[in-house]
Amino acid sequence: ETAPAFLSVWEMQAYYGESYIVQGISFNVHEGEILALLGRNGAGKTTTLRAIARMDSPQMNHGEVWLDHQALHNMKSHEAAAAGIALVPEDRCIIPGLTVEENLELAQIAPPVGWSIDRLYELFPRLAERRRQEGVTLSGGEQQMLAVARALARDIKVLLLDEPYEGLAPVIVDEIEKTLRLIKEQGITTILVEQNAVRALELADRAVILDTGSIVFDGSASEVLENEELRAEYLAI
Ligand code: ATP
């Protein structure tokens, strides 16, 4: 590859205590693309996202992460967030006691502010209908939409999505997928971790497959869909 990557992970190692989970991985993500980060349960996908977002755990003992010429590996999580990284965790973390709108407003307390609440409601009409409803009482799919909307309410460059389709009916997955395409059209870069590998690959431009903390494939998403051996061995699909 010659073009400098937008997000670059280089020889990243991540540990939980003594457990060596992510074993020196390197990959690039280009601006505006959707990268599917796939692999079996326990392969290290969540750990990779958490390390990129500079969460307190895992510890990143070695390696570098660069976002648009900024060295994320020297940052705390709040600094990485200010640099443009947004992690939407699997449990979605909607704040109890707050309405949909208050959850969005809270994300906009610290400048620079991202998408306006009106613009978010255009993207997520279901959230507009439920703006006065307490966030934690939304359906699973609506909570996922709120979690993504809350990320966009900040001024972000990269969206890290951890299993956004988990537990959702196919028709709701369709809706979220449509929204992720619209977000891509706005130039946001996405790393999508998903157990539902087929759905993720249909959406993604490229794929990275992890197996026990190492990269076993880095290439186009369509290549994975066409490669039966790869699918069977690492994705069980
Ligand atoms: P899944 O789809 O099951 O979430 P994953 O690919 O996201 O899988 P990780 O959650 O990154 O995998 O987990 C990778 C390994 O790290 C697993 O063996 C897991 O048990 C271990 N692990 C995860 N979180 C912790 C933690 N907080 N402390 C210790 N070990 C952990």
Side-chain angles (χ1 to χ4, degrees), residues 97-115:
L98 300 186
T99 65
V100 166
E101 191 148 299
E102 288 163 346
N103 265 277
L104 295 175
E105 284 167 352
L106 192 62
Q108 294 189 320
I109 282 180
V113 166
W115 295 20

Side-chain angles (χ1 to χ4, degrees), residues 16 21 40-47 90 163 195:
Y16 290 111
I21 306 294
R40 285 187 284 246
N41 284 341
K45 306 179 296 292
T46 297
T47 305
E90 200 175 339
E163 305 210 14
Q195 282 302 326

Side-chain angles (χ1 to χ4, degrees), residues 3-8 29 31 64-75 83 157:
F6 186 61
L7 178 72
S8 182
V29 194
E31 189 167 13
E64 296 179 4
V65 181
W66 292 85
L67 169 62
D68 203 12
H69 310 290
Q70 305 169 92
L72 293 185
H73 50 276
N74 294 328
M75 295 183 186
K157 294 176 175 153

Side-chain angles (χ1 to χ4, degrees), residues 98-101 130-135 137-139 142:
L98 300 186
T99 65
V100 166
E101 191 148 299
R130 292 166 175 74
R131 66 176 79 189
R132 309 263 169 255
Q133 189 174 328
E134 193 184 346
T137 66
L138 296 174
S139 73
E142 290 159 359

